[in-house]
Amino acid sequence: MGGQIDNFSILPFHKNLISISSHFRLQIGTLFGKLSVVLKTIFEAQATNTDGRSGHVKSEDGVLDFPISMPNSKGKPDPKSTNPEELFAAAYSTCYAGAVEAVAKNHNIDDLGDFNVTAIVAFNKEEEGFFLEVTLDTYLPT
C-alpha cells in the first residue's frame, strides 16, 4: 500500500484510503525509498452506516445508534440527528485528549486540571474534490 505525506496537511479523502487491520505494515513512498512501520492494535471499535449521509449509524455494541442527516446552509434538517463531521470531531478530540494525557504522564504530570480539547471539523470542496479540515484547540490551565 502506498501513501504520500504532503507537508503534514490533510489530503483529500478521495485520493487516499488506508485500511488498518489488527497488525499491519504500512509502506509510505519517500524520496529515499520506503519507510515501514509496524503497529500493534490496542483497541478496536466498529460502527456501521446504512444509506450514507442521509441514513443511520450504529456501533457494534449499540451504544451509538443515530440517524444521520446531511447539514445544509441552515444547519441540520433534523435537530436530533448527527452527521459524520460531528462524530469525527467527537472521536478526534477525545483521542487527542488521551494523547495529551499520555504525554503529560511521560513528563511526570499526573493532573492536568480542567483541560479540554475541541475539534472543529470542516467539510470542504475545491476543484480537485472534497476534503476534511480539522482544527484542534487545546485548553490547558496554567
Side-chain angles (χ1 to χ4, degrees), residues 12-127:
F13 65 82
H14 68 282
K15 289 184 180 177
N16 294 294
L17 177 64
I18 297 174
S19 177
I20 299 173
S21 62
S22 194
H23 297 342
F24 77 100
R25 182 174 300 274
L26 171 63
Q27 292 187 338
I28 301 172
T30 67
L31 295 175
F32 307 105
K34 292 187 176 181
L35 169 68
S36 295
V37 179
V38 178
L39 302 176
K40 182 177 179 184
T41 300
I42 297 170
F43 178 78
E44 200 171 76
Q46 180 177 328
T48 302
N49 171 279
T50 53
D51 299 324
R53 292 189 65 95
S54 296
H56 197 90
V57 67
K58 184 175 182 181
S59 62
E60 184 178 37
D61 62 6
V63 172
L64 299 178
D65 192 355
F66 303 115
I68 302 290
S69 64
M70 178 71 172
N72 56 35
S73 61
K74 297 178 182 178
K76 295 185 279 186
D78 177 0
K80 293 185 179 184
S81 69
T82 189
N83 59 64
E85 292 74 28
E86 285 180 329
L87 294 170
F88 186 64
Y92 202 176
S93 62
T94 303
C95 288
Y96 190 79
V100 168
E101 289 175 313
V103 169
K105 192 171 197 170
N106 284 340
H107 286 85
N108 298 317
I109 301 170
D110 294 325
D111 185 8
L112 288 173
D114 189 18
F115 84 102
N116 65 63
V117 176
T118 300
I120 303 159
V121 177
F123 183 68
N124 299 306
K125 182 177 181 183
E126 63 179 16
E127 290 178 15

Side-chain angles (χ1 to χ4, degrees), residues 2-16:
Q4 176 181 335
I5 299 175
D6 183 20
N7 295 328
F8 301 104
S9 64
I10 297 173
L11 299 172
F13 65 82
H14 68 282
K15 289 184 180 177
N16 294 294

